[in-house]
Amino acid sequence: MAQLSFYSAEANQPHAGDLAGLLCCQGQLAEFARTAARLTLPLDARWRVRAVRLALAERGIETTPTVTDEGLHGVRTAFRADLLSLAEEWTKEGEKFAPSGLSLDGGALRLWVLAAGSWLGTSYLLGLDPEAPDTYDTVRGALGNAGLPATLQGTGLRISGRRRLRRLAELVGRPPSGDAEEHWPAVSGVRESA
């Protein structure tokens, strides 16, 4: 049996700070009267909606599934006082801004993979927020500090190589469901069937 990394999602208790992983991608926080904030997260598949809702429930954060006018699915929280500090960290002059001290552990990376992770050939792509390109360099630096140097590819960060893919898979843990398996990080893009 492989030893878990100290920073892996499975070695640590889920906590609200893990939501930083959702802000690395398309997650948005909106403040209300400087007393509370709400997370809104558009998603490209229903399995992601279910998985993110369960992951946030593990962190004590209830969500509501949403559907946009364009038919896109997602999740949204209520306005919550405990999300205000995260909103303040990730906002500068009313715009989304990645904090300079951003640190990504297994829990944050797991949420990022749930919301925006996918295979790109034999590399793994973590989606970024197309509406917030100013966050890309800081997020990429934080990913590198987590032992996962990546290259920018369009609106995503591409992780390549067996060692890096193994590290990512170790940090995020096992897929939450069968629906997630084909999208989940593994040692290589060639995944064995169970």
Side-chain angles (χ1 to χ4, degrees):
M1 181 175 172
Q3 182 176 356
L4 288 177
S5 166
F6 179 72
Y7 299 102
S8 75
E10 294 177 339
N12 293 290
Q13 289 291 344
H15 56 90
D18 294 342
L19 271 67
L22 300 177
L23 298 172
C24 288
C25 59
Q26 66 274 17
Q28 298 288 328
L29 283 167
E31 287 186 42
F32 176 74
R34 297 186 182 216
T35 59
R38 173 176 68 194
L39 171 75
T40 304
L41 179 69
L43 297 162
D44 65 5
R46 289 184 182 183
W47 76 263
R48 292 189 192 275
V49 172
R50 287 187 302 273
V52 168
R53 289 190 74 206
L54 286 171
L56 292 180
E58 289 175 348
R59 289 155 178 84
I61 300 171
E62 296 302 317
T63 58
T64 303
T66 61
V67 180
T68 66
D69 293 339
E70 296 83 27
L72 299 173
H73 296 273
V75 298
R76 181 176 61 206
T77 69
F79 281 101
R80 300 170 53 102
D82 60 346
L83 296 181
L84 186 60
S85 63
L86 198 59
E88 290 172 349
E89 283 178 26
W90 280 82
T91 307
K92 184 176 182 180
E93 297 175 9
E95 299 292 323
K96 187 174 179 179
F97 174 82
S100 59
L102 178 62
S103 177
L104 299 171
D105 63 7
L109 288 167
R110 183 174 179 84
L111 289 182
W112 191 357
V113 165
L114 286 172
S118 62
W119 284 98
L120 181 66
T122 58
S123 298
Y124 197 78
L125 189 70
L126 289 168
L128 296 166
D129 188 341
E131 304 297 321
D134 291 342
T135 64
Y136 295 3
D137 288 339
T138 302
V139 171
R140 181 178 170 201
L143 195 58
N145 290 339
L148 297 166
T151 56
L152 184 62
Q153 178 142 359
T155 56
L157 292 173
R158 184 173 49 88
I159 300 170
S160 300
R162 290 181 69 79
R163 181 183 294 155
R164 292 176 186 159
L165 291 170
R166 181 178 292 121
R167 171 109 174 115
L168 178 61
E170 174 185 284
L171 287 170
V172 301
R174 293 178 292 249
S177 68
D179 293 340
E181 283 183 22
E182 69 181 271
H183 307 281
W184 207 252
V187 176
S188 74
V190 180
R191 294 166 303 282
E192 298 176 23
S193 58

